[in-house]
Amino acid sequence: MGAINSVLQEHRVFEPSAETVSRATISGMAAYKALCAEAEADYSGYWERLAREHLSWKTPFTKGLNDSNAPFFKWFEDGTLNASYNCLDRNLENGNAEKDAIIFEADDGKVRRVTYRELHALVCRFANGLKSRGIKKGDRVVIYLPMSVEGVAAMLACARIGATHSVVFGGFSAKSLQERIEDAGAVAVITADEQCRGGKNIPLKSVVDEALGMEGTGSIHTVIVYQRTGTPQKTVEGRDVWLHELLAQQAEQCEPEWVGAEHPLFLLYTSGSTGKPKGVQHSTGGYLLHAVLTMKWTFDLKPEDVFWCTADIGWVTGHTYITYGPLACGGTEIVFEGVPTFPDAGRFWKMIQDHKVSIFYTAPTAIRSLIKAADVTASVHPRNYNLSSLRLLGSVGEPINPEAWMWYYENIGGARCPIVDTFWQTETGGHMITPLPGVTPLVPGSCTLPFPGIQAAIVDETGNDVEWGKGGFLVVKKPWPSMIRNIWGDPERFKKSYYPVDFSGKLYLAGDGAVRDATTGYFTIMGRIDDVLNVSGHRLGTMEVESALVANPLVAEAAVVGRPDDLTGEAIVAFVVLKQARPTGETAKAFAKQLQDWVAKEIGPIAKPKDIRFGDNLPKTRSGKIMRRLLRAVAKGEEIVQDVSTLENPGILDQLKQSI
Ligand code: PRX
């Protein structure tokens, strides 16, 4: 963990303004400390109190944490509730029926407003439609939809009938979709004819057809298709049904299926360091509790706010901060179909202006690319837009570099909006380490302090706490309500990944390196310590990309590493040995392009290697192990200072240093 000790020294501190403190739900450091102390004194009792106050239960639970089968923890397990009831019905009951739940803006700029009453009716009809197709509690339903009201409604309709949804990001390939369908044993897919992004129509239904043509998808009996663009589609008799036709036959009332708090609300596939993506299984009660609490405390959501999380529902950020969190709090939110650069790179700023967005949550990659665009084209600079409606900004998905933080703070937030740099993961369900706007003095590049009740810590290889100022492994010492419950169908992998024996099986291992500031104790995340890459805030396993490459008939061997990238945070560099002679010059370029397209087809465009290098071989030890640390140095263009005496074939490094 040597590198982690040399953390950048950041001395700028931004205290919360008096106005922010006075309006905040958690107001002042004393209030934060009081919550932490309450959790310290009675851990389960603390979460029980919050779960009673913030969620609507059908049957109240009698107990919070059950740790009798650690690390398979349970929370509130004898309570029953329904997530869609919490997001919809209770808003109808408490005066929000005519309030906008969703302001949808399409790729082409068309706006559609949906009230809570309308969303409730849509979800009920959708849920009845699912039931009419024989889909029932406990079934898994794959959702492969664009950003849309229907996407959010599909998730809530599954929740309403107790079906477990598994959303697959619309950018994933047929093969990735097939793998997820098979692993989940899904019975239905909900998709659209096409999606619209950046002025282009991109197929979805035909990708589903391709996936369902592959082996292992025989469990699917229904495909529901939302007509987005109207481009004619092939349909399979008996299997495929248009969403509008299905909805037309359904009643607007649907009694929620009351499920136990531990009932799996969703599976979401994410990359690990080895093997295929893992189906992260989340609960209903504990997950929803954290979604609500973090909306209220981190984002300080108030009834008059317009909240905009720019993530896609295909990622966990879209689950917690588009579908469940904002709606369970009765908020008004933006759902955006398009991309930040269409029709130009001022799109986000124009939308904030048009919809008077007050809370804006995005990823550092987006900020960095928009900084660049504004530098080049003055007309898309945020100064051209009225952003005065903003009062709070958020960042998620990857470390935010202090320069990007300062630009965001000054140019978007007008030096008046706090930035919450929220550290969390697919597995954690919601924010783990984050500033609270009315509490925490901000330091650019630091996610600051744990959310009240979260026992985050930094330990060494043996699981002992390291001193502040020293780097180590980020862990969580106690189970928390919204944590991952299992890896779908693979409890052994769950234990090995998150509760490894190295830490006596008692600490949740996040997989990130981190360090705490020597005086303030603030956390700074240093990045993954495993073979997981973070490209534009998207998580990818090096093994996944390697497997995709070696599946190509031309490829004999491949090794993939990450390299820091100014725009995407990390970029993928692939070292490839072909079955034929090592290509050079134009031939190498043509092969590289072919392999990039291949990876896009195997996994999705997000996994395309940025740089491909060809060698006669890969650097290996005499026992045949690929020396990845050398490849990382080569990828970064660093001088090789490492000891290469154990290397079987040192000459190979010179070949691999040559980019094409
Ligand atoms: O490495 C951390 C990084 O993203 C990983 C989790 O990725 P994923 O499960 O796809 O979830 C992303 C959205 C929650 C983490 O292990 N990460 C996430 N947020 C931050 C971060 N790194 C630094 N700072 C953050 N705020």
Side-chain angles (χ1 to χ4, degrees), residues 505-554:
K506 291 204 164 23
L507 303 176
Y508 169 85
L509 180 67
D512 283 288
V515 60
R516 299 188 74 162
D517 182 89
T519 42
T520 59
Y522 275 17
F523 287 75
T524 294
I525 306 297
M526 308 302 296
R528 301 288 306 193
I529 43 148
D530 51 12
D531 291 323
V532 169
L533 304 177
N534 191 328
V535 183
S536 301
H538 300 320
R539 204 164 134 176
L540 286 162
T542 51
M543 291 276 287
E544 256 177 287
V545 185
E546 285 170 13
S547 313
L549 283 167
V550 296
N552 185 297
L554 294 169

Side-chain angles (χ1 to χ4, degrees), residues 195-207:
Q195 56 180 330
C196 306
R197 284 168 70 81
K200 295 195 197 87
N201 291 357
I202 305 161
L204 285 175
K205 169 63 165 56
S206 61
V207 181

Side-chain angles (χ1 to χ4, degrees), residues 270 316-317 395-399 421-427 510 512 525 528 534 537 539:
T270 189
V316 74
T317 308
S395 173
V396 60
E398 46 178 328
D421 175 1
T422 60
F423 168 82
W424 61 294
Q425 310 176 293
T426 305
E427 293 87 341
D512 283 288
I525 306 297
R528 301 288 306 193
N534 191 328
R539 204 164 134 176

Side-chain angles (χ1 to χ4, degrees), residues 24-277:
T25 300
I26 310 300
S27 180
M29 190 52 91
Y32 170 79
K33 288 195 171 149
L35 288 167
C36 297
E38 185 189 343
E40 194 69 39
D42 176 6
Y43 189 68
S44 184
Y46 166 77
W47 294 110
E48 287 164 32
R49 172 178 76 77
L50 295 168
R52 280 190 197 104
E53 285 174 11
H54 294 272
L55 295 182
S56 302
W57 297 85
K58 178 72 174 170
T59 326
F61 57 85
T62 57
K63 189 178 169 197
L65 173 65
N66 174 353
D67 56 4
S68 61
N69 188 27
F72 299 93
F73 301 102
K74 291 179 175 166
W75 285 91
F76 321 120
E77 62 182 310
D78 61 350
T80 65
L81 76 170
N82 180 284
S84 92
Y85 177 90
N86 275 269
C87 293
L88 300 171
D89 306 57
R90 74 168 172 171
N91 283 306
L92 303 193
E93 287 156 21
N94 63 19
N96 283 336
E98 305 314 326
K99 181 176 178 176
D100 283 335
I102 294 177
I103 303 171
F104 172 75
E105 185 165 316
D107 191 52
D108 65 5
K110 283 205 188 79
V111 174
R112 170 181 168 201
R113 291 170 173 269
V114 183
T115 64
Y116 274 95
R117 187 189 303 289
E118 290 162 344
L119 188 61
H120 175 268
L122 173 63
V123 169
C124 285
R125 285 162 62 204
F126 211 143
N128 286 328
L130 295 177
K131 285 202 270 189
S132 76
R133 299 290 303 194
I135 300 163
K136 53 183 192 311
K137 180 181 173 189
D139 284 345
R140 274 82 57 210
V141 174
V142 163
I143 296 175
Y144 188 62
L145 278 171
M147 285 296 292
S148 51
V149 173
E150 287 68 18
V152 174
M155 295 165 80
L156 292 171
C158 289
R160 193 151 194 99
I161 65 166
T164 299
H165 59 71
S166 184
V167 185
V168 177
F169 174 59
F172 275 121
S173 66
K175 175 117 188 305
S176 297
L177 183 60
Q178 177 273 330
E179 281 169 5
R180 286 157 174 76
I181 289 170
E182 182 175 10
D183 190 83
V187 299
V189 180
I190 308 173
T191 190
D193 48 3
E194 294 180 310
Q195 56 180 330
C196 306
R197 284 168 70 81
K200 295 195 197 87
N201 291 357
I202 305 161
L204 285 175
K205 169 63 165 56
S206 61
V207 181
V208 172
D209 288 340
E210 193 186 337
L212 295 183
M214 298 176 189
E215 270 178 38
T217 54
S219 53
I220 297 289
H221 59 65
T222 292
V223 176
I224 299 171
V225 190
Y226 160 53
Q227 199 169 43
R228 171 65 187 90
T229 62
T231 304
Q233 302 293 318
K234 274 200 305 214
T235 49
V236 174
E237 193 59 40
R239 187 196 73 180
D240 299 356
V241 50
W242 289 108
L243 178 64
H244 57 273
E245 288 177 7
L246 186 71
L247 293 182
Q249 302 155 15
Q250 309 303 328
E252 283 190 0
Q253 289 302 326
C254 174
E255 175 66 13
E257 179 80 38
W258 303 106
V259 298
E262 281 297 312
H263 183 71
L265 179 62
F266 65 89
L267 310 180
L268 184 58
Y269 284 81
T270 189
S271 298
S273 50
T274 53
K276 55 180 182 139

Side-chain angles (χ1 to χ4, degrees), residues 549-572:
L549 283 167
V550 296
N552 185 297
L554 294 169
V555 175
E557 237 186 328
V560 165
V561 299
R563 164 180 85 196
D565 186 280
D566 282 349
L567 213 57
T568 57
E570 244 179 328
I572 302 176

